[in-house]
């Protein structure tokens, strides 16, 4: 073995990998005038397209889109021959790009980087290569691809087979002739599904070992689609721009058709159109909610299963090929050419490993629980250690002597999928936490390379040498990546997106699912904000503007964007009447909330006024008494009624199993302070006195409310204590108003843009109460006597002007000795916590509210 030379070669940047990303990175580094070297393990360029040469290998994004856009001349000179080009053609393309830009001279082939160590003294990376060389560089850039580290066979006896063994991901360059052979293929992901029909053409007998059936649609390959070619020809720049600002990196119009509300005809029509089109983003866009709503997802899934059943003639084989254990799209769907038809051939057999698992690979074949099979060759199409495998394969040691592998042992952690704390000047192209594999890789690669190149230029221009994310920024981004995934069905699947295909790998959703467009915006925002969340240092000084680039829940952001797009006048510019009419119209269009056992309306007869109420009884025997919750709706003492908070009341009822009585108290301006407060207390007294008639358990009475409803609920608790009853078990205060002091920071930080605004709060106050009354504890319960109040659960939302009201009340109650459970609605607004079945990310917050309510009644079990 070569001894490492004592003096390392010095360059500005080393790029590992000469695939799509490495080639473009080199091009941009040269443009910046930086010295750069690419280290590539293969003996040619191509990356994934160099290695994956199995029969039938193609891309699954139309090649018109799966292409570089940085060089318009390149686009003129290269024409793709097919809609989905084959692996040899894509490899030729990458060779063409490398030659056209003279990139090869800076690429060292047949060499791997084996170790990389950050030298804190010199602020440089020192790399060791398989050839024994040492290279010192300022910037170390991994362009190693997301699906480049083959998963090792995890099957008993895998090394025992005496015949030839092939991996789709490391296919022999000279090809394989299976003519007349008995062949086994293990694995039915994209690689298996693409290669099986072609292997079947040669093999005398082909046996496919399937552990999980996969969704696949016909690719309908052929000439590049004429409409797309025309759009590109007409205005290439506009087309590429649209791709960059699309959700997936291919310009398509996202549908707003929901599966549940579309007619059967529309459903069928949309599905068949996507089926005919044969494109990944088409079949993922049949319905707007198929990625988040199980019922809608099942509509698409079942239509695909119907296609499988109508294609495969043997019903048992067809059924075994129908995916049923994961939602459509949560594992990468495949595009195929004659895959399901292949099972109609007499020499092709499917072995369902769920029914007869592999016991062992043997010397001459495969033994399952039921049978022994003899084979001449075995093909493994068993996938990759995706997204992290290639990164941790190199022994990368960061600033504190920590290895990347050790840092990521619990889970991969990145800022923007580009960098990771503790590893200065170390960039990952399309790393975990970026859209990467969920997008058109060509678009995502260019975006990453452009961002890194822009960053390196900014560093140089500002006399800075190092860049590294902060722990705060990185944790915030990791959280955002998981928040985006959590509102989808993706985390439910045992997919390689989740790291679930590799035994022992931590289970985390690896790519960023918020969209190429949203992601690009986040990266641009980070740079525009002086590299928010990065620590930068060098002769030009040291600076760090720490922070989190996205802390709002993604579906909350979507709702706000939608609201902004409507261009509505501010609520406070309307009359109370018009504002009520608007609220009523908005309530018409939202989902109803969960079903409950029974809903009845009634009237509470009070001396001052009859108050309408709505009673929600949970499912179960009507005669069985339940805890009782008196609920007060939100609306600033001006708006709201029994309908306005109906979904929330259903949700609380269904989750807690309590009887919920929602009371419509009197409103301003018709009835100003203290009408609402007095009504609330009177309603609680009435409920306490009529608990049995209402189906409640005497002595198990809680109050709850949202916003101004939480205000009157809190006031009712104080009045009940002063009056010596009724006994209240607990108070659930959701984003409460507790004080008239509007100088707390949240009124400024969150004063505008989150539906409830500071001006709107003023409008509410002015309608409800004279300034002279606003320190009265029946209006500002924070100013009241807090001793001896019932236990409280207080919900505060991060993006709520009232956030600090809730926090102040929680603090004050605690100081007064009242048990308080603080529920932080992370990333939420004042309204989003109540948006049942609209804002999916608010469901866990409501689950916590329900748990807190249930805990007020120790004898009852929460309904799960
Ligand atoms: O790998 P996979 P792939 N015993 O992980 C099975 C991209 N790609 O190479 O699902 C038995 O998807 C495993 O079963 P299960 C594309 O993004 C794109 O096919 O884990 N079976 C599964 O069926 C794709 O998603 C293109 O239960 C075992 C299969 O092997 C990604 O690469 C083409 C097993 C692996 O499927 C990976 O695709 C090719 C075991 N021990 C790839 N271990 C296109 O552009 C694993 N399996 C079209």
């Amino acid at each position: 073995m070569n001894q490492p030379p004592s003096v390392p070669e010095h360059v500005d940047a080393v790029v590992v990998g000469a695939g799509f990303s490495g080639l473009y990175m080199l091009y941009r580094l040269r443009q910046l005038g930086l010295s750069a070297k690419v280290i590539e393990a293969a003996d040619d360029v191509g990356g994934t397209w160099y290695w994956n040469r199995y029969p039938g290998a193609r891309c699954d994004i139309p090649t018109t889109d799966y292409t570089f856009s940085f060089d318009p001349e390149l686009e003129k000179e290269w024409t793709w021959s097919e809609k989905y080009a084959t692996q040899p053609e894509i490899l030729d393309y990458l060779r063409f790009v490398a030659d056209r830009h003279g990139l090869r001279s800076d690429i060292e082939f047949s060499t791997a980087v084996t170790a990389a160590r950050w030298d804190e003294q010199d602020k440089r990376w020192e790399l060791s290569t398989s050839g024994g060389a040492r290279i010192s560089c300022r910037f170390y850039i991994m362009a190693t691809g997301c699906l480049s580290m083959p998963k090792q066979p995890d099957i008993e006896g895998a090394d025992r087979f005496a015949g030839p063994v092939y991996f789709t991901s490391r296919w022999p360059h000279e090809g394989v002739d299976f003519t007349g052979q008995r062949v086994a293929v293990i694995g039915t992901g994209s690689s298996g599904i693409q290669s099986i029909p072609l292997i079947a053409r040669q093999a005398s007998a082909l046996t496919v070992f399937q552990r999980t059936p996969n969704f696949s649609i016909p690719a309908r390959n052929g000439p590049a689609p004429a409409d797309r070619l025309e759009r590109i020809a007409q205005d290439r720049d506009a087309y590429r721009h649209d791709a960059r600002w699309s959700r997936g990196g291919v310009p398509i119009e996202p549908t707003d058709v929901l599966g549940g509300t579309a007619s059967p005809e529309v459903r069928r029509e949309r599905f068949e159109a996507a089926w005919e089109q044969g494109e990944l983003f088409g079949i993922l866009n049949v319905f707007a909610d198929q990625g988040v709503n199980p019922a809608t997802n099942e509509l698409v899934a079942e239509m695909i299963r119907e296609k499988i059943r109508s294609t495969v003639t043997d019903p048992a084989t067809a059924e075994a090929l129908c995916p049923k254990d994961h939602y459509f799209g949560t594992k990468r769907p495949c595009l195929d050419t004659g895959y399901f038809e292949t099972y109609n051939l007499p020499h092709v057999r499917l072995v369902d490993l769920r029914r007869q698992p592999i016991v062992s690979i043997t010397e001459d074949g495969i033994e399952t629980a039921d049978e022994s099979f003899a084979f001449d060759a075995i093909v493994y199409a068993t996938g990759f250690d995706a997204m992290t495998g290639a990164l941790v394969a190199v022994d990368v040691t960061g600033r504190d002597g920590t290895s990347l592998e050790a840092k990521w042992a619990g889970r991969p952690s990145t800022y923007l999928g580009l960098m990771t704390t503790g590893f200065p000047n170390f960039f990952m192209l399309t790393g975990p936490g970026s859209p990467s594999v969920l997008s058109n890789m060509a678009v995502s690669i260019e975006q990453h390379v452009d961002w890194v190149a822009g960053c390196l230029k900014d560093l140089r221009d500002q006399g800075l040498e190092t860049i590294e994310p902060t722990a705060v920024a990185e944790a915030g981004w990791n959280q955002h990546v998981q928040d985006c995934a959590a509102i989808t069905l993706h985390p439910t699947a045992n997919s390689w997106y989740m790291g679930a295909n590799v035994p022992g790998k931590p289970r985390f959703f690896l790519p960023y699912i918020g969209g190429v467009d949203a992601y690009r915006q986040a990266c641009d925002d980070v740079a525009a904000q002086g590299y928010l969340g990065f620590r930068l240092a060098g002769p030009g000084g040291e600076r760090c503007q720490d922070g989190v680039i996205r802390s709002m829940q993604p579906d909350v952001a979507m709702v706000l964007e939608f609201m902004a797009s409507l261009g509505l006048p501010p609520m406070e510019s309307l009359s109370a009447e018009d504002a009520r009419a608007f609220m009523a119209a908005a309530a018409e269009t939202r989902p109803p909330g969960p079903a409950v056992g029974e809903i009845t309306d009634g009237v509470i007869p009070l001396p001052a006024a009859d108050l309408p109420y709505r009673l929600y009884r949970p499912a179960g025997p009507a005669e069985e008494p339940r805890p009782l919750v008196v609920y007060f709706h939100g609306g600033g003492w001006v708006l709201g009624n029994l309908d306005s908070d109906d979904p929330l009341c259903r949700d609380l009822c269904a989750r807690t199993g309590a009887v919920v009585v929602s009371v419509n108290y009197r409103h301003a301006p018709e009835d100003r302070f203290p009408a609402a407060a007095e009504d609330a207390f009177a309603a609680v007294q009435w409920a306490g006195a009529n608990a049995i008639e209402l189906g409640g358990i005497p002595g198990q009475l809680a109050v709850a409310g949202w916003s101004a409803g939480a205000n009157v609920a809190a006031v009712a608790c104080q009045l009940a204590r002063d009056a010596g009853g009724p006994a209240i078990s607990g108070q659930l205060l959701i984003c409460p108003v507790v004080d008239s002091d509007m100088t707390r920071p949240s009124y400024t930080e969150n004063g505008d843009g989150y539906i409830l605004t500071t001006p709107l709060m003023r409008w509410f106050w002015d309608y409800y109460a004279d300034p002279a009354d606003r320190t009265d504890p029946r209006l500002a319960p924070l100013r009241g006597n807090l001793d001896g109040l019932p236990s409280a659960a207080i919900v505060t939302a991060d993006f709520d002007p009232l956030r600090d009201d809730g926090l102040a009340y929680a603090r004050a109650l605690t100081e007064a000795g009242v048990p308080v459970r603080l529920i932080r609605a992370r990333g939420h607004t004042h309204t989003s916590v109540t948006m049942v079945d609209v804002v999916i990310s608010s469901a866990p917050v409501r689950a916590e509210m329900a748990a807190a309510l249930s805990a007020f009644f120790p004898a009852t079990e929460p309904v799960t």
Side-chain angles (χ1 to χ4, degrees):
M1 201 175 133
N2 293 346
Q3 285 302 309
S6 52
V7 181
E9 179 185 355
H10 272 59
V11 286
D12 292 322
V14 166
V15 180
V16 184
F20 261 95
S21 53
L23 291 177
Y24 182 44
M25 191 73 245
L26 175 59
Y27 172 85
R28 290 299 312 264
L29 290 167
R30 281 185 180 176
Q31 263 191 339
L32 289 173
L34 295 172
S35 59
K37 192 173 182 101
V38 175
I39 306 291
E40 168 57 62
D43 61 12
D44 198 356
V45 300
T48 200
W49 300 105
Y50 173 93
W51 296 105
N52 289 269
R53 297 172 186 236
Y54 60 85
R58 295 173 189 274
C59 67
D60 59 3
I61 299 288
T63 14
T64 42
D65 297 81
Y66 187 72
T67 198
F68 282 127
S69 73
F70 70 88
D71 177 0
E73 292 306 311
L74 185 77
E75 284 194 64
K76 278 188 206 150
E77 286 178 30
W78 185 271
T79 311
W80 294 103
S81 68
E82 289 178 279
K83 176 179 166 190
Y84 298 112
T86 57
Q87 171 270 329
E89 186 171 346
I90 302 173
L91 184 56
D92 277 350
Y93 169 73
L94 291 170
R95 287 176 174 144
F96 166 74
V97 174
D99 293 338
R100 189 189 143 81
H101 290 288
L103 298 175
R104 288 178 188 274
S105 56
D106 283 328
I107 306 176
E108 190 169 322
F109 291 107
S110 306
T111 306
V113 172
T114 51
R117 180 171 297 275
W118 174 251
D119 183 334
E120 180 66 11
Q121 195 70 33
D122 291 349
K123 311 280 185 234
R124 296 183 74 89
W125 283 96
E126 186 163 310
L127 312 185
S128 312
T129 74
S130 54
R134 285 164 61 204
I135 311 171
S136 165
C137 58
R138 176 85 54 214
F139 304 107
Y140 169 39
I141 304 169
M142 289 289 263
T144 39
C146 299
L147 295 155
S148 47
M149 178 58 65
K151 191 181 90 137
Q152 293 310 310
D154 49 1
I155 303 175
E156 170 66 26
D159 52 354
R160 233 181 277 159
F161 185 63
V165 166
Y166 304 101
F167 288 83
T168 48
S169 52
R170 291 288 180 272
W171 204 255
H173 287 198
E174 60 282 9
V176 181
D177 184 3
F178 290 113
T179 306
Q181 294 190 11
R182 298 161 303 167
V183 181
V185 174
I186 304 174
T188 52
S190 302
S191 305
I193 282 178
Q194 282 186 334
S195 58
I196 284 164
L198 290 168
I199 296 174
R201 282 191 201 164
Q202 292 183 335
S204 61
L206 171 63
T207 309
V208 177
F209 291 84
Q210 169 192 275
R211 188 162 66 183
T212 309
N214 231 322
F215 289 100
S216 185
I217 68 162
R220 304 195 192 284
N221 201 17
D227 55 339
R228 195 162 300 183
L229 288 177
E230 199 179 307
R231 277 179 71 187
I232 296 171
Q234 268 176 7
D235 192 344
R236 184 204 87 97
D237 290 347
Y239 188 86
R240 299 295 178 213
H241 176 271
D242 289 352
R244 288 180 198 120
W245 290 98
S246 66
R247 271 193 76 81
V250 177
I252 62 164
E253 197 59 47
T255 183
D256 56 5
V257 175
L258 299 175
T261 49
S263 68
E265 294 74 28
V266 168
R267 287 177 189 164
R268 175 56 66 181
E269 199 180 301
R270 289 193 57 78
F271 172 76
E272 293 294 343
W275 184 261
E276 278 311 308
Q277 186 195 26
E279 288 191 24
L280 199 53
F281 289 123
I283 199 74
L284 291 170
N285 189 42
V286 177
F287 303 116
D289 58 339
Q290 71 189 59
V292 297
N293 182 336
T296 298
N297 190 283
E298 178 58 18
L299 293 173
V300 181
E302 188 51 26
M303 287 191 270
I304 296 176
R305 289 186 209 113
E306 278 172 22
K307 296 284 188 190
I308 298 171
R309 292 184 188 113
S310 67
T311 305
V312 179
T313 47
D314 174 46
T317 305
E319 220 40 51
L321 286 164
C322 283
K324 290 175 197 139
D325 79 336
H326 62 280
Y327 293 109
F328 172 65
T330 56
K331 291 181 105 166
R332 175 83 162 199
C334 307
L335 297 187
D336 72 88
T337 303
Y339 173 64
F340 291 111
E341 290 83 346
T342 302
Y343 292 96
N344 294 335
L345 299 173
H347 68 295
V348 176
R349 177 174 168 197
L350 180 75
V351 173
D352 180 355
L353 297 181
R354 295 278 160 92
R355 284 174 178 271
Q356 49 174 127
I358 295 178
V359 175
S360 175
I361 309 274
T362 61
E363 252 189 26
D364 65 351
I366 295 177
E367 200 174 301
T368 69
D370 303 343
E371 273 174 88
S372 289
F373 297 82
F375 295 113
D376 300 310
I378 297 179
V379 174
Y380 287 93
T382 43
F384 300 87
D385 182 353
M387 301 207 68
T388 55
L391 294 168
V392 298
V394 176
D395 177 15
V396 186
T397 309
R399 193 165 25 75
D400 301 326
T402 308
S403 76
L404 188 64
E405 192 173 21
K407 179 179 174 184
W408 285 7
R411 57 158 300 170
S413 170
T414 72
Y415 186 31
L416 301 170
L418 275 163
M419 298 194 81
T420 187
T421 312
F423 297 79
N425 292 4
F426 169 58
F427 294 91
M428 294 161 276
L429 300 181
T430 65
S434 74
S436 58
V437 290
L438 296 176
S439 67
N440 174 0
M441 283 298 276
V443 168
S444 287
I445 284 170
E446 284 195 334
Q447 186 255 336
H448 259 196
V449 171
D450 289 341
W451 193 93
V452 172
C455 170
L456 299 191
K457 179 173 182 311
D458 288 342
L459 288 181
R460 185 175 62 190
D461 291 352
Q462 293 163 36
L464 300 168
E465 280 179 334
T466 59
I467 178 166
E468 182 188 338
T470 68
V472 168
E474 185 163 307
W477 184 256
N478 289 333
Q479 184 65 63
H480 179 58
V481 171
Q482 297 310 312
D483 285 346
C484 289
I487 60 174
T488 74
L489 300 170
H490 271 276
T492 61
N494 288 323
S495 63
W496 59 257
Y497 297 140
M498 291 293 295
N501 65 326
V502 176
K505 191 165 174 174
R507 193 183 167 94
F508 277 100
F509 193 69
L510 293 165
Y512 176 71
I513 202 170
V516 160
D517 46 357
Y519 176 78
R520 180 181 294 269
Q521 191 63 59
C523 291
D524 289 355
D525 289 351
V526 164
Q529 291 173 41
Y531 290 93
L532 176 73
F534 282 106
R535 186 165 289 113
L536 305 116
E542 202 174 320
R543 55 173 220 242
C544 175
Q545 198 200 326
D546 207 354
V548 172
I549 188 66
R550 294 286 181 263
S551 48
M552 182 173 279
Q553 292 288 346
D555 47 356
V556 175
M558 279 184 233
V559 168
L560 292 178
E561 263 170 44
F562 173 72
M563 297 290 289
S565 74
L566 298 177
L568 299 168
M571 187 85 90
E572 64 274 16
S573 69
L574 305 178
S575 67
E577 261 331 292
D578 287 349
R580 286 171 189 162
F582 170 76
M583 295 277 289
E588 295 275 301
T589 59
R590 71 191 167 180
V596 297
E598 189 189 3
I599 298 179
T600 48
D601 283 357
V603 171
I604 305 174
L606 294 180
D610 285 350
L611 301 185
Y613 74 86
R614 182 166 295 165
L615 183 144
Y616 303 80
R617 192 184 307 284
E623 62 283 1
E624 189 184 318
R626 307 293 188 118
L628 196 58
V629 178
V630 182
Y631 176 85
F632 301 100
H633 62 74
W637 310 283
V638 177
L639 312 174
N641 52 35
L642 294 183
D643 293 331
S644 59
D645 293 23
D646 187 68
L648 178 62
C649 290
R650 287 164 175 264
D651 197 66
L652 287 175
C653 172
R655 286 179 191 274
T656 58
V659 169
V660 175
V661 178
S662 169
V663 178
N664 196 17
Y665 48 93
R666 284 174 293 163
H667 293 133
E670 295 84 352
D671 294 289
R672 286 162 60 84
F673 173 76
E678 286 177 348
D679 286 357
F681 177 46
V684 174
Q685 282 180 311
W686 172 84
N690 294 279
I692 294 174
E693 292 77 2
L694 294 168
I697 302 170
Q700 295 209 353
L701 173 71
V703 295
W706 169 50
S707 193
N711 171 271
V712 297
V715 171
C717 288
Q718 296 192 6
L719 297 177
R721 177 209 49 203
D722 296 345
I728 297 176
S729 312
Q731 45 181 331
L732 170 65
L733 310 178
I734 308 166
C735 306
V737 188
V738 295
D739 196 14
S740 49
D741 174 7
M742 293 175 67
T743 61
R744 291 191 175 84
S746 56
Y747 273 108
T748 318
E749 284 168 27
N750 302 324
D752 190 22
Y754 306 126
I755 301 180
L756 176 66
T757 63
T758 299
L760 181 57
M761 271 314 294
R762 272 197 205 99
W763 187 81
F764 287 140
W765 278 106
D766 290 344
Y767 267 130
Y768 184 46
D770 291 336
D773 289 329
R774 294 185 192 173
T775 52
D776 189 315
R778 289 171 303 162
L779 230 177
L782 182 65
R783 295 171 192 243
N785 169 17
L786 305 183
D787 293 338
L789 288 175
S791 298
I794 299 180
V795 182
T796 61
D798 287 357
F799 294 94
D800 183 359
L802 295 174
R803 179 197 66 202
D804 295 345
D805 262 37
L807 291 174
Y809 204 50
R811 248 189 328 268
L813 286 174
T814 306
E815 278 163 17
V818 177
V820 175
R821 176 167 174 174
L822 191 61
I823 299 173
R824 177 183 165 203
R826 186 178 51 74
H828 281 279
T829 62
H830 185 75
T831 45
S832 65
V833 288
T834 69
M835 291 182 164
V836 178
D837 294 337
V838 174
V839 172
I840 296 170
S841 62
S842 64
V845 181
R846 287 194 307 281
E848 226 183 312
M849 290 182 203
L853 257 183
S854 300
F856 294 148
F857 313 117
T860 59
E861 291 292 320
V863 174
T864 51

